Amino acid sequence: MIQVLVTGANGQLGSEIKLISEETSIYKFYFTDYNELDITNKTAVENFVNKHAIHIIINCAAYTNVDKAEDEWELSNSINHKAVENLATISKEKSIKLIHISTDYVFDGESKTPYLETATTNPINNYGLSKLKGEEALLKINPKNSIIIRTSWLYSVFGSNFVKTMLRLFKEKDLLNVVSDQVGSPTNAKDLASAIFNIIPNLNNDRVEIFHYSNIGTCSWFQFAKEILAFSNETCDIKPVSSKEFKTKAKRPKFSILDTHKIQKVFNIQIPSWEESLHNCLIKINTK
Ligand SMILES: NC(=O)c1ccc[n+]([C@@H]2O[C@H](COP(=O)([O-])OP(=O)(O)OC[C@H]3O[C@@H](n4cnc5c(N)ncnc54)[C@H](OP(=O)(O)O)[C@@H]3O)[C@@H](O)[C@H]2O)c1
């Protein structure tokens, strides 16, 4: 049986993978998070993959607090860069296939057209820089049959994210200011998890390849919030504001749209629209 290690398994994406894994018996999954397997501990990872004869690693572990990363460079770099370097080295030595997840925040947001996988990277915050360094380390070490999937604006029934924050704030407030000058594509982690299941049997590449995955279609955070409100039973006024008016510790790219044609074509994947996927997630949240 194919043995798969999922790191960061209690996060949004890891939890969605766990849910889908219950429907398949082709793989034996090992779901680990920080407490079971700290990916910054190279020896622990080596011991784990040896003990369980791992064939595939899906690295869902990450430091994802974009604002805090401005003050915690060392920690974010150790998880998003150094640990990925370790995973890549171990994968190369053991011929393990590594699926690593990265982010739209490796780009500066100055583009006027959706970012291709080959577009120039230029992160504007520490989180994006640490994730880019992780990508670069993986590309350099180059374990066979390994890929990087960049995604954007991830949300899920699990964990904390924009969708759940909005649902909470709709209950607490009469008026919400939401940024309208940053555009991107929301991504339901469930869809990305299911894409990963389609990709695994088809990994066959000599050099590490980058792919982009997000739901289809684009919106601003303001439009995203309006759509969440439309599907909730709450009433709340949502006011569009500019990034200048809504200060955050870390700068965000204004334009975060990823071109997803490559992943659709290479792996024959159909990607749902962001609205359809959001509605599916909201139904699940409401019936939880
Ligand atoms: N969230 C987004 O909007 C977004 C957007 C684009 C790309 N991505 C990327 O997508 C991937 C999945 O994101 P996500 O939203 O599912 O992340 P998440 O919900 O924050 O989950 C990450 C998980 O990794 C765990 N973790 C942190 N440090 C670890 C360590 N040293 N060893 C093992 N586990 C550790 C975290 O534990 P703790 O919670 O205890 O720290 C958490 O359970 C990440 O690579 C992220 O960079 C996310």
Side-chain angles (χ1 to χ4, degrees), residues 11-13 33 37-39 61-62 64 101-102 127 131 151 154:
Q12 301 190 77
L13 180 59
D33 206 88
L37 185 62
D38 174 359
I39 61 161
T64 55
I101 314 300
S102 193
Y127 166 73
K131 293 293 289 185
T151 189
L154 210 58

Side-chain angles (χ1 to χ4, degrees), residues 209-232:
E209 274 203 55
I210 301 176
F211 293 91
H212 287 172
Y213 186 98
S214 65
N215 280 129
I216 299 294
T218 66
C219 60
S220 66
W221 291 110
F222 167 73
Q223 290 164 323
F224 192 15
K226 292 281 273 185
E227 194 72 17
I228 300 164
L229 182 67
F231 256 76
S232 74

Side-chain angles (χ1 to χ4, degrees), residues 7-14 32-34 37-40 59-64 79-80 100-104 127 131 151-155:
T7 61
N10 295 344
Q12 301 190 77
L13 180 59
T32 61
D33 206 88
Y34 183 81
L37 185 62
D38 174 359
I39 61 161
T40 63
N59 182 30
C60 302
Y63 180 108
T64 55
I79 299 167
N80 293 343
H100 174 64
I101 314 300
S102 193
T103 171
D104 52 328
Y127 166 73
K131 293 293 289 185
T151 189
S152 61
W153 295 23
L154 210 58
Y155 65 89

Side-chain angles (χ1 to χ4, degrees), residues 21 23 36 102 117 171 175 202-204 218 227 231 243 251 281:
S21 75
E23 294 158 21
E36 301 80 32
S102 193
E117 287 78 356
K171 288 191 200 307
L175 173 68
N202 298 308
L203 285 173
N204 183 18
T218 66
E227 194 72 17
F231 256 76
S243 307
K251 271 174 77 180
C281 180

Side-chain angles (χ1 to χ4, degrees), residues 31-69:
F31 291 99
T32 61
D33 206 88
Y34 183 81
N35 285 339
E36 301 80 32
L37 185 62
D38 174 359
I39 61 161
T40 63
N41 183 339
K42 190 176 179 201
T43 312
V45 178
E46 271 167 342
N47 290 342
F48 195 98
V49 302
N50 286 339
K51 182 173 173 198
H52 301 289
I54 296 297
H55 299 105
I56 299 168
I57 299 175
I58 308 174
N59 182 30
C60 302
Y63 180 108
T64 55
N65 192 324
V66 178
D67 288 316
K68 258 178 129 181

Side-chain angles (χ1 to χ4, degrees), residues 19 22-23 39 50 82 116 166 171 211 236 253 256 283:
L19 208 58
E22 288 161 12
E23 294 158 21
I39 61 161
N50 286 339
K82 292 291 176 189
L116 287 166
M166 286 299 119
K171 288 191 200 307
F211 293 91
C236 184
S256 261
I283 289 167

Side-chain angles (χ1 to χ4, degrees), residues 171-184:
K171 288 191 200 307
E172 292 172 9
K173 302 199 170 201
D174 298 325
L175 173 68
L176 274 185
N177 292 338
V178 182
V179 170
S180 60
D181 59 0
Q182 293 168 20
V183 292

